[in-house]
Amino acid sequence: RKEVEQDPGPFNVPEGATVAFNCTYSNSASQSFFWYRQDCRKEPKLLMSVYSSGNEDGRFTAQLNRASQYISLLIRDSKLSDSATYLCVVNMIQGGATNKLIFGTGTLLAVQP
Amino acid sequence: NAGVTQTPKFRILKIGQSMTLQCAQDMNHNYMYWYRQDPGMGLKLIYYSVGAGITDKGEVPNGYNVSRSTTEDFPLRLELAAPSQTSVYFCASSYQGGWDNSPLHFGNGTRLTVT
């Protein structure tokens, strides 16, 4: 099983739609979770951290399900400008206090006019 | 603050050549990372460092070397370039390395082609 897995998509949705992405992780000891957005040929940029109780930032909602080991990202009222690749990132605990941050393969979202 | 600075932005190498990708950060972050991203794929961790003098392998370390002699700098060395190393390389840093929800700060990337 891959350490971090995402549905690669693409997700093609009309403007105004609600779309949700999931990301599963293998290490039950993982503590930190993030969603990043990456535009074509650019560096990833932080979209939001994912907190245990779930968190919202405008049209974006992130949730964590520790029992099933997945995080989710919900985008409401999709805009054309939301078209991008969405990457989940999970910290993988590796002995002692060290940990490495592992990316999923990314989910491509295309919002259509 | 300049954040994370990577050089060069672009490079073409011949098979068997060597080069060093430079990465520097001015945020006093302990954790630094090197990722590579192949076309249409996610980012794969090559090496990471939790502080000066300490480095560790990531998911795809073969063919690469790193060093961390200072907090600010984390160069990535390719000794014998191969076509399979054609990729975009991203350097990133983090204050807590994922602990306490501290995120990654990325450089702009280095596009490397090996022919």
Side-chain angles (χ1 to χ4, degrees):
Chain A
R1 181 182 175 185
K2 288 185 183 175
E3 291 179 298
V4 182
E5 288 196 79
Q6 287 183 257
D7 183 342
F11 283 59
N12 295 301
V13 302
E15 270 187 290
T18 295
V19 61
F21 311 132
N22 281 345
C23 169
T24 58
Y25 60 95
S26 62
N27 188 332
S28 59
S30 294
Q31 299 279 347
S32 294
F33 310 89
F34 308 91
W35 283 104
Y36 279 75
R37 171 197 168 121
Q38 186 177 29
D39 294 299
C40 191
R41 300 174 74 81
K42 298 279 193 179
E43 74 275 17
K45 292 193 186 295
L46 179 67
L47 182 64
M48 56 199 304
S49 300
V50 185
Y51 300 117
S52 296
S53 54
N55 46 302
E56 190 174 301
D57 183 2
R59 298 181 293 108
F60 299 86
T61 301
Q63 291 195 311
L64 167 64
N65 185 317
R66 283 196 185 276
S68 300
Q69 292 181 209
Y70 75 86
I71 61 172
S72 63
L73 177 68
L74 182 79
I75 305 175
R76 289 181 300 278
D77 188 24
S78 300
K79 313 287 185 196
L80 293 175
S81 57
D82 293 333
S83 297
T85 297
Y86 291 83
L87 299 152
C88 65
V89 183
V90 179
N91 76 326
M92 292 291 163
I93 310 303
Q94 179 169 288
T98 65
N99 71 104
K100 48 187 181 178
L101 290 165
I102 300 296
F103 280 76
T105 51
T107 297
L108 180 61
L109 172 65
V111 181
Q112 315 289 340
Chain B
N1 283 355
V4 179
T5 303
Q6 281 185 246
T7 56
K9 284 188 166 49
F10 304 92
R11 185 73 186 267
I12 298 174
L13 278 183
K14 292 192 185 306
I15 295 170
Q17 285 186 320
S18 302
M19 78 164 294
T20 299
L21 283 67
Q22 302 291 347
C23 177
Q25 53 92 9
D26 62 358
M27 297 173 283
N28 203 31
H29 284 172
N30 286 321
Y31 288 75
M32 294 187 76
Y33 304 81
W34 274 106
Y35 291 91
R36 61 176 283 175
Q37 186 174 33
D38 298 331
M41 305 293 284
L43 281 73
K44 294 286 189 190
L45 181 62
I46 306 172
Y47 271 96
Y48 69 109
S49 169
V50 303
I54 307 169
T55 62
D56 209 346
K57 295 177 181 178
E59 302 168 274
V60 289
N62 291 345
Y64 306 94
N65 280 302
V66 293
S67 59
R68 184 95 181 271
S69 55
T70 66
T71 299
E72 294 77 20
D73 299 299
F74 190 41
L76 178 71
R77 179 88 179 152
L78 283 72
E79 289 295 348
L80 288 169
S84 60
Q85 293 177 305
T86 294
S87 192
V88 179
Y89 292 82
F90 289 106
C91 178
S93 72
S94 170
Y95 177 59
Q96 293 273 39
W99 298 110
D100 201 26
N101 277 307
S102 64
L104 290 162
H105 299 257
F106 280 90
N108 290 335
T110 296
R111 297 184 184 284
L112 175 67
T113 301
V114 182
T115 60

